[in-house]
């Protein structure tokens, strides 16, 4: 027969287009309530031999932050309607947004006022361009744990070259890239440092469920978010 029989299967292949993840350049003012939990993890491949020896491979040096946010609107500073609005504008677990991690939001000792010499920047392949970085190991050593600062807080960035405060540069506060003006690019031997306040780019890790009406005017919900390494 020219067509499929009952014993034959027909498969229809649908083209799948991968869309860039949208990102809302706004700091979510979600209250991190008492009882909220958070953790950080690294991509580590651990194996154990039959003799009991343990080996590990650090697949990349970047930590991933996860927050289980205990949200309540009892102080009315950020309403449940705003939470729901953020969820829908993000497309649920699709889009990203900024979140302030109150345990680590400054290049200077986690929470102190930033200075221009806090962290060593990494040069990119583009002339005069550097990536802002938050180091957790030996600074400048590319084998060490670090967080690329992709979402510095607008206006908070400071830059120095060999400890001298720089002025001839611009910072892209949506990427954390520093671009020196033409003619003012640092020499390869010079060390570029920076300091800033920064947000963590995150997305909802799970759907918005489990909201509770505790009293007539108090709502609570658990919001799970996970860090985006490449927002």
């Amino acid at each position: 027969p020219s067509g499929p029989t009952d014993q034959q299967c027909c498969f229809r292949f649908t083209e799948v287009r991968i869309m860039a993840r949208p990102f809302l350049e706004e700091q979510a003012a979600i209250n991190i309530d008492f009882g909220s939990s958070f953790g950080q993890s690294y991509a580590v491949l651990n194996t154990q031999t039959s003799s009991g020896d343990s080996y590990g491979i650090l697949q990349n040096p970047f930590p991933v932050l996860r927050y289980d946010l205990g949200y309540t609107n009892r102080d009315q500073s950020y309403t449940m309607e705003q939470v729901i609005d953020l969820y829908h504008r993000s497309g649920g677990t699709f889009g990203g947004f900024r979140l302030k991690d109150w345990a680590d939001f400054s290049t200077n000792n986690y929470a102190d006022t930033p200075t221009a010499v806090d962290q060593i920047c990494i040069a990119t392949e583009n002339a005069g361009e550097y990536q802002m970085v938050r180091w957790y190991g030996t600074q400048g050593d590319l084998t060490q744990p670090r967080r690329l600062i992709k979402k510095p807080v607008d206006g908070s960035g400071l830059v120095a070259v060999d400890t001298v405060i720089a002025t001839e540069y611009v910072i892209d506060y949506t990427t954390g890239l520093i671009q020196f003006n033409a003619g003012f690019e640092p020499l390869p031997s010079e060390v570029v440092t920076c300091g800033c306040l920064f947000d963590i780019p995150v997305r909802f890790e799970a759907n918005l469920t489990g909201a509770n009406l505790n009293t007539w005017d108090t709502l609570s919900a658990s919001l799970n978010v996970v860090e985006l390494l490449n927002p």
Side-chain angles (χ1 to χ4, degrees):
S2 59
T5 66
D6 291 341
Q7 288 74 35
Q8 293 175 310
C9 295
C10 293
F11 296 93
R12 176 175 294 177
F13 293 94
T14 302
E15 180 182 3
V16 177
R17 295 184 179 181
I18 300 176
M19 296 175 58
R21 191 183 297 277
F23 195 89
L24 301 175
E25 289 293 344
E26 60 186 72
Q27 186 187 80
I30 299 174
N31 299 328
I32 300 178
D33 200 12
F34 291 113
S36 298
S37 61
F38 69 94
Q40 306 213 35
S41 61
Y42 287 87
V44 179
L45 181 62
N46 291 303
T47 59
Q48 187 167 333
T49 66
S50 58
S51 63
D53 293 327
S54 180
Y55 298 90
I57 298 175
L58 182 63
Q59 296 177 310
N60 69 66
F62 308 114
V64 174
L65 175 72
R66 280 181 168 83
Y67 252 109
D68 181 3
L69 302 172
Y71 168 79
T72 178
N73 71 330
R74 63 170 171 255
D75 65 3
Q76 302 299 316
S77 64
Y78 198 66
T79 67
M80 182 60 73
E81 287 78 10
Q82 289 173 290
V83 173
I84 295 173
D85 179 64
L86 175 64
Y87 178 79
H88 285 304
R89 287 189 294 116
S90 300
T93 60
F94 182 36
F97 52 92
R98 293 169 174 252
L99 184 75
K100 182 176 182 178
D101 176 15
W102 288 90
D104 186 6
F105 60 87
S106 172
T107 54
N108 184 11
N109 194 31
Y110 296 94
D112 293 337
T113 302
T115 76
V117 295
D118 290 342
Q119 306 286 325
I120 294 177
C121 300
I122 296 177
T124 73
E125 295 178 352
N126 300 320
E129 185 181 72
Y130 292 79
Q131 175 68 60
M132 304 178 91
V133 184
R134 170 69 167 94
W135 296 89
Y136 297 103
T138 302
Q139 291 199 30
D141 183 346
L142 295 180
T143 68
Q144 294 296 298
R146 60 191 182 273
R147 173 173 274 121
L148 302 183
I149 300 177
K150 298 293 186 72
K151 300 298 175 183
V153 174
D154 191 20
S156 68
L158 300 167
V159 178
V161 178
D162 277 353
T163 72
V164 178
I165 302 298
T167 57
E168 297 294 332
Y169 65 88
V170 292
I171 297 175
D172 186 338
Y173 285 95
T174 68
T175 62
L177 291 173
I178 302 166
Q179 180 63 59
F180 283 87
N181 298 338
F184 293 90
E185 298 90 345
L187 299 174
S189 60
E190 294 179 313
V191 177
V192 176
T193 57
C194 71
C196 67
L197 303 175
F198 60 90
D199 296 320
I200 304 295
V202 299
R203 66 171 176 84
F204 288 106
E205 191 172 21
N207 292 324
L208 184 60
T209 59
N212 296 298
L213 183 62
N214 300 325
T215 66
W216 71 273
D217 64 347
T218 303
L219 292 168
S220 64
S222 180
L223 306 173
N224 299 309
V225 298
V226 61
E227 182 172 359
L228 296 170
L229 294 182
N230 295 297

